[in-house]
Amino acid sequence: MNKEPQGLENLFPFLEAKLNLDPQSTVISQFKGGYSNLTFLIHSPDGQYVLRRPPLGMKISKAHDMVREFRILEALEKAGYDKIPKPILCCEDETVIGAPFFIMEKVEGLILRNKIPEGMTLGKDYFQKLSKNTIDGLLELHHLELEKSGLSQLGKPEGYVERQVLGWSERYFNAKTDELKELEAVSEWLKSNLPKNENIGFIHNDYKFDNLVLAGPQDPTIQAVLDWEMATVGDPLMDFGTSLAYWAEAGDSDILKMFNLSYMEGNFTRAEAIDYYASKSPLNLENMIFYYTYGLFKVAVIAQQIYKRFTMGFAQDPRFSALIHVVDACGKKAMNSIQTNKI
């Protein structure tokens, strides 16, 4: 983690006033590894907390709405869903750190990013269990009761699929930097192949290994799910399609293995993940090519938006310079899936 991040000077008196944390013994450090929102650890003798704020620079739609993410965590807590960090407080006053932010509890555990931590061995059996737990966790979300819990108020499911396809297409062209013909063709294909039927459920919209806090290197039980800012009520298969887009396999290009350790031996293949999901869901999964293609397109647009910020100087992380290759690879992968009818 990077210590003493800039621009957080006003946070210390805020933490003293709101959480009674002593400024002299409180240390704030930034977590590395994310591509979007900024996440910080607040460490004090009285406990540890996590702070989340939007990325620096361009404001992108509602994808970085910290206040909304805090409200989602509150609603999930009220609904009895326990795989979340407990929301502590939300601050909409931008004069404190320059943007709205919220603070939540820190959940202890293992987060798997794009490589196994040094000195740690995770075998085939571990990843097999993790694959199963991951899909089970997604199914649990998709089966949450909506009306009595109040979760139904968090989204507008009618017309969700079309809004998402049109919205992500618009975002791509707003952030476009390079001519990528395959990706533009995928955008048109999605618009022309919208499913006739829509499903309704609570969805996370960024559900993948590195947003899961696991019990540890001997136990892949999911302790908590992170990054809820894009969660809503919509079509669960759009959510599953996004997860599959991140679900890289051993034979995929290296650039598509940047975000998930799903390609390690023991994991489900994408086809196995679909079969497992289908065995526990009443939904019709015959049209998964559409949802997988949509997922790849969405991942491409997210990468394109971050790359655009990088080219404009708003984000200096050198990793971001490679994201245009992710955009291109997602477009090619999606077009190949359309043409071969294979996921």
Side-chain angles (χ1 to χ4, degrees):
M1 285 184 286
N2 299 324
K3 292 191 174 180
E4 300 179 5
Q6 297 297 307
L8 298 183
E9 298 79 9
N10 294 339
L11 186 59
F12 290 97
F14 176 88
L15 293 173
E16 184 176 25
K18 298 292 185 180
L19 297 176
N20 199 30
L21 300 184
D22 177 18
Q24 299 302 316
S25 57
T26 299
V27 177
I28 301 173
S29 45
Q30 184 177 348
F31 287 97
K32 292 180 180 179
Y35 280 84
S36 188
N37 295 313
L38 306 180
T39 308
F40 302 87
L41 173 66
I42 300 170
H43 179 86
S44 81
D46 296 318
Q48 294 191 102
Y49 304 90
V50 172
L51 179 150
R52 276 171 63 76
R53 61 147 291 162
L56 304 173
M58 297 165 63
K59 291 186 177 181
I60 301 174
S61 184
K62 299 177 182 177
H64 308 288
D65 188 339
M66 296 294 96
V67 178
R68 183 175 183 276
E69 182 171 359
F70 183 79
R71 303 290 177 238
I72 288 168
L73 288 173
E74 286 187 317
L76 285 166
E77 186 178 40
K78 197 174 293 185
Y81 180 76
D82 62 356
K83 292 186 178 66
I84 53 169
K86 182 177 176 60
I88 305 295
L89 63 85
C90 181
C91 178
E92 299 183 55
D93 182 359
E94 296 192 16
T95 64
V96 179
I97 64 169
F101 65 92
F102 74 89
I103 293 173
M104 60 187 179
E105 73 166 335
K106 183 179 188 295
V107 179
E108 296 297 333
L110 172 65
I111 299 176
L112 292 177
R113 301 199 184 277
N114 61 349
K115 57 184 177 182
I116 296 174
E118 194 172 338
M120 189 178 292
T121 302
L122 302 178
K124 181 177 177 181
D125 183 59
Y126 187 91
F127 282 111
Q128 190 170 51
K129 289 176 182 174
L130 176 56
S131 286
K132 179 178 176 296
N133 292 348
T134 299
I135 303 301
D136 281 337
L138 191 62
L139 284 157
E140 182 182 3
L141 280 178
H142 294 170
H143 293 160
L144 284 175
E145 193 281 326
L146 300 178
E147 297 305 326
K148 292 179 183 177
S149 67
L151 292 175
S152 60
Q153 299 173 23
L154 293 173
K156 299 175 182 176
E158 295 79 13
Y160 177 82
V161 174
E162 183 176 19
R163 284 200 311 276
Q164 291 301 299
V165 169
L166 296 178
W168 286 106
S169 293
E170 182 180 359
R171 288 176 205 119
Y172 173 70
F173 288 105
N174 286 341
K176 180 179 172 179
T177 55
D178 296 53
E179 290 296 332
L180 301 175
K181 289 184 168 45
E182 287 95 346
L183 198 64
E184 294 190 20
V186 169
S187 171
E188 292 306 312
W189 183 88
L190 288 168
K191 293 174 189 175
S192 301
N193 288 273
L194 295 170
K196 292 183 173 63
N197 299 316
E198 286 192 275
N199 310 290
I200 297 176
F202 188 78
I203 61 180
H204 181 276
N205 263 328
D206 198 25
Y207 190 90
K208 58 188 191 296
F209 285 1
D210 69 356
N211 279 334
L212 307 177
V213 182
L214 308 176
Q218 281 78 45
D219 182 4
T221 299
I222 298 171
Q223 304 289 93
V225 181
L226 307 176
D227 291 7
W228 292 91
E229 73 269 22
M230 290 194 287
T232 188
V233 177
D235 193 325
L237 295 185
M238 297 285 270
D239 198 16
F240 189 29
T242 299
S243 295
L244 289 173
Y246 284 115
W247 201 286
E249 296 180 358
D252 291 338
S253 63
D254 287 345
I255 198 75
L256 293 177
K257 296 176 182 175
M258 289 176 61
F259 309 105
N260 221 5
L261 285 174
S262 54
Y263 59 87
M264 301 290 290
E265 187 180 10
N267 279 292
F268 287 167
T269 62
R270 286 186 291 269
E272 288 170 339
I274 291 169
D275 288 344
Y276 186 79
Y277 185 101
S279 73
K280 297 196 169 191
S281 171
L283 303 182
N284 184 336
L285 272 65
E286 289 181 359
N287 199 14
M288 282 308 300
I289 290 290
F290 174 88
Y291 300 107
Y292 175 58
T293 300
Y294 159 77
L296 285 167
F297 182 72
K298 175 180 164 184
V299 171
V301 178
I302 293 170
Q304 179 65 52
Q305 290 177 318
I306 300 170
Y307 179 72
K308 174 78 167 183
R309 290 209 309 274
F310 176 80
T311 63
M312 297 180 71
F314 289 124
Q316 281 79 41
D317 192 320
R319 295 175 304 151
F320 296 169
S321 65
L323 288 179
I324 191 61
H325 302 300
V326 174
V327 182
D328 187 35
C330 282
K332 287 181 167 64
K333 186 79 173 172
M335 184 51 65
N336 182 66
S337 186
I338 292 167
Q339 291 171 343
T340 63
N341 200 36
K342 290 182 181 178
I343 293 177

